[in-house]
Amino acid sequence: MRLFETIKETVTVGQAAEYYGMKIGRNNMICCPFHNDHHPSMKLNTTYYYCFGCGATGDVIQFVANLFGLSNYEAAKKIAVDFGITPDKPPVIAALKKPEYMENKNRQKDLRECQKMVCEYLHRLEKWKVLYVPGSPDLPMDERFEEACENLSYIEYLADYLTFADEEEGFEVVKSMKETGYLEDLKYLSGPRDEEDTYEEAA
């Protein structure tokens, strides 16, 4: 287990991606190597990656494992060899106090969950705006269509911001959403909805 910890504390996802030939663009975005991606949709944070296209996520070891079709242990050994890491090599993150490190890990987890919810809600609104558009001006407007019209622009902006903002900016957005209660609202908005279930059953 110490090998895994040393790898994750020493090599960032971005360093691994660059070493293995990925071209890193603005705001640490790359074309996802795990699906047919023509525009950069994968965000490389310090300790994890997340693809807004296919949902792929994980740490540096999982990234290399998926990239080369290896087990996590084989991927960790490959990284250790390629980056010259030995068991006695002091990890970069050792300078951080444990409480600070754990707090940062928790913030990263919250940010990933927030990014996922925003993407799921965005896809729902895009679908609703097409499916429930009124057939004529005389017909009553479906609540799902109204919700899409009201919220789509803001959710598109939020998705773009969380995609291209750096990690610290993302942390601040999540913190603000928690304080205002919008993060809880988003959990409901992006989660299972009776309105959607009704459509799925009818289909």
Side-chain angles (χ1 to χ4, degrees):
M1 181 60 71
R2 184 58 193 160
L3 174 63
F4 280 46
E5 293 172 357
T6 301
I7 294 295
K8 290 188 284 188
E9 292 171 356
T10 306
V11 182
T12 68
V13 180
Q15 287 171 334
E18 191 169 36
Y19 183 88
Y20 296 119
M22 305 288 108
K23 183 178 180 181
I24 302 177
R26 186 167 63 93
N27 295 307
N28 294 321
M29 297 293 294
I30 64 170
C31 286
C32 177
F34 307 133
H35 78 280
N36 189 19
D37 192 11
H38 300 293
H39 301 286
S41 63
M42 178 176 281
K43 175 82 168 183
L44 303 180
N45 292 296
T46 304
T47 59
Y48 71 93
Y49 61 92
Y50 180 77
C51 178
F52 292 89
C54 68
T57 187
D59 57 33
V60 64
I61 294 173
Q62 291 167 310
F63 182 85
V64 175
N66 291 334
L67 194 61
F68 293 100
L70 304 173
S71 69
N72 284 350
Y73 181 64
E74 290 170 335
K77 289 196 296 182
K78 177 175 177 57
I79 296 169
V81 171
D82 290 343
F83 283 83
I85 296 170
T86 58
D88 59 346
K89 181 181 178 69
V92 174
I93 209 164
L96 288 176
K97 295 179 181 178
K98 191 171 182 179
E100 293 174 342
Y101 174 65
M102 292 308 298
E103 180 184 356
N104 198 50
K105 293 289 286 184
N106 290 334
R107 292 196 299 169
Q108 289 171 341
K109 179 174 179 289
D110 289 344
L111 178 57
R112 286 199 303 271
E113 290 176 351
C114 183
Q115 289 169 330
K116 183 172 182 289
M117 288 189 293
V118 169
C119 286
E120 288 175 348
Y121 188 41
L122 175 61
H123 293 153
R124 172 173 289 165
L125 293 179
E126 289 173 337
K127 182 175 71 174
W128 283 2
K129 193 168 184 180
V130 173
L131 289 175
Y132 302 110
V133 59
S136 74
D138 301 329
L139 293 175
M141 195 174 292
D142 190 287
E143 291 181 0
R144 288 160 289 197
F145 181 74
E146 288 183 329
E147 183 176 336
C149 291
E150 290 173 1
N151 296 340
L152 189 55
S153 293
Y154 174 68
I155 296 300
E156 285 176 337
Y157 164 77
L158 192 56
D160 283 345
Y161 189 86
L162 289 174
T163 298
F164 294 110
D166 64 35
E167 206 169 49
E168 285 299 325
E169 291 172 332
F171 292 158
E172 288 302 313
V173 171
V174 175
K175 179 182 177 183
S176 175
M177 291 171 69
K178 279 184 175 181
E179 291 173 348
T180 60
Y182 188 69
L183 193 62
E184 282 299 316
D185 293 341
L186 190 60
K187 287 180 182 178
Y188 164 74
L189 293 171
S190 63
R193 302 276 293 276
D194 291 339
E195 300 95 326
E196 189 165 36
D197 293 341
T198 300
Y199 169 76
E200 296 294 345
E201 290 174 6

